[in-house]
Amino acid sequence: MAGVHFQSVSKVFGKDVVAVDHLNLEVRDGEFMVLVGPSGCGKTTALRMLAGLEETTSGDILIGEKRVNDVPPKDRDIAMVFQNYALYPHMSVEENIAFGLKLRELKGFLHQVTRFKETQQKRLDIEKRVRQTAEMLGIEELLHRLPKELSGGQRQRVALARAIVRKPNVYLMDEPLSNLDAKLRIQTRAEIIRLHQQLQTTTLYVTHDQTEAMTMGSRIAVMKNGVLQQLDTPENVYQKPQNLFVASFIGSPPMNLIRTTRQAEQLIAPGIEVPLTAEWQAKTAHLSEVMLGFRPEALTTERAADLGIVFQAQVQLIENLGPNLIAYLEVSGTPILASLRTSGGTTPGALRPGENLTIYLKPDDLTLFDPGTEEAIR
């Protein structure tokens, strides 16, 4: 196994289309790193440069200690799982999984005189590895089928098996679950996590789905317009976003963001008054406006001694998700979202549009942003 290091890597298409802009990113040996961001943010381009499918405009890419910018894709010791499966339709599942291994053995055979018994043994070794990998993914009964005879979830398992059977230094996965339905995505997501725990191979996983990023990555790299916005654990990216983009992109539902006016010892918006501690006053003294951020689940309808911020809100819409309600609220014309638990008596019965509601918020659950720089105020 080996780590991966992007050293100030850029990719420019044409004269002025910057897909990746001076990316500095270190993926540790054995780590499961997720690159996440909206379409066009540069995450797939970064993956393709690592795979050798795109040339870098500038910067260096290292696998282990080796610079691979000029190394052909076949010699980088990586295995890639694509979004569209990329299975050979005329080959059986077994042949698809074994294809990469057989190519490598054929290359060795052409460069040396190999005796018949040795060739037979290698063939048996390939068959054994294919069957072991198929058992690992629960597709051993599908080995003799063609891809057209498989469901989407089964095809994705075959694509994963084809990558895993090679035992490379690095796995690359480019939105491998996007073609699956919701239930299959959850199941396959769990399988990929389990496989990584078992194999402990360095993995880069690209997705635009922030739920996948939060549940799968040991660390998350959030990208926007080719620029790395934040690199951290899922918990820190969620609880301590570095800027307004990360705050609004990570989380479902996303963080509430409200523009407020700073007046003396508090932040003011229509229907909202937030007292500032002495520390917050010092850190925001140079600002006339502050962006106020808080997660929907930080809001509650139960009053407690440490819940020092109170909103009077009107219910606009309710989404019942079973264990919690997503309430679309308005506070003096400002829309906010609240995620309210439905168990334990924390919601005031059945909420209805037009109903008035008192909600509470802990000061410790607030995040403040500079609206000029869009950076979090720490």
Side-chain angles (χ1 to χ4, degrees), residues 321-333:
L321 302 181
N324 63 316
L325 298 175
I326 303 300
Y328 293 75
L329 309 174
E330 254 190 25
V331 179
S332 298

Side-chain angles (χ1 to χ4, degrees), residues 5 34 39 78 81 91 103 118 172 193 233 243 269 274-275 288 293 326 364 372:
H5 198 178
V34 177
S39 297
I78 56 99
V81 181
M91 292 184 182
L103 275 184
E118 292 175 341
L172 308 180
I193 296 170
T233 63
N243 56 44
V274 176
S288 60
I326 303 300
D364 290 346

Side-chain angles (χ1 to χ4, degrees), residues 1-7 27 29 47 49-52 60-69 71-73 75-79 168-172 202 204:
M1 294 186 292
V4 171
H5 198 178
F6 291 84
Q7 297 180 335
V27 186
D29 187 8
L47 201 73
M49 286 192 288
L50 175 57
D60 294 323
I61 299 177
L62 281 70
I63 298 179
E65 301 298 324
K66 182 179 181 181
R67 181 180 181 273
V68 297
N69 291 47
V71 176
D75 298 326
R76 297 193 182 194
D77 200 14
I78 56 99
N169 277 329
V170 181
Y171 290 125
L172 308 180
T202 305
L204 267 78

Side-chain angles (χ1 to χ4, degrees), residues 196-261:
H196 179 259
Q197 291 172 345
Q198 182 175 345
L199 300 171
Q200 292 296 303
T201 302
T202 305
T203 303
L204 267 78
Y205 186 103
V206 162
T207 182
H208 65 272
D209 186 329
Q210 49 86 24
T211 301
E212 285 182 20
M214 292 291 295
T215 55
M216 299 180 75
S218 51
R219 286 192 300 161
I220 302 174
V222 185
M223 297 186 67
K224 175 190 177 186
N225 297 334
V227 178
L228 179 64
Q229 302 292 310
Q230 185 169 354
L231 173 63
D232 212 328
T233 63
E235 294 79 11
N236 284 341
V237 169
Y238 187 79
Q239 298 293 348
K240 301 176 181 178
Q242 288 186 357
N243 56 44
L244 286 173
F245 172 76
V246 176
S248 61
F249 185 78
I250 297 295
S252 181
M255 177 177 279
N256 291 295
L257 296 169
I258 301 172
R259 185 179 291 270
T260 66
T261 302

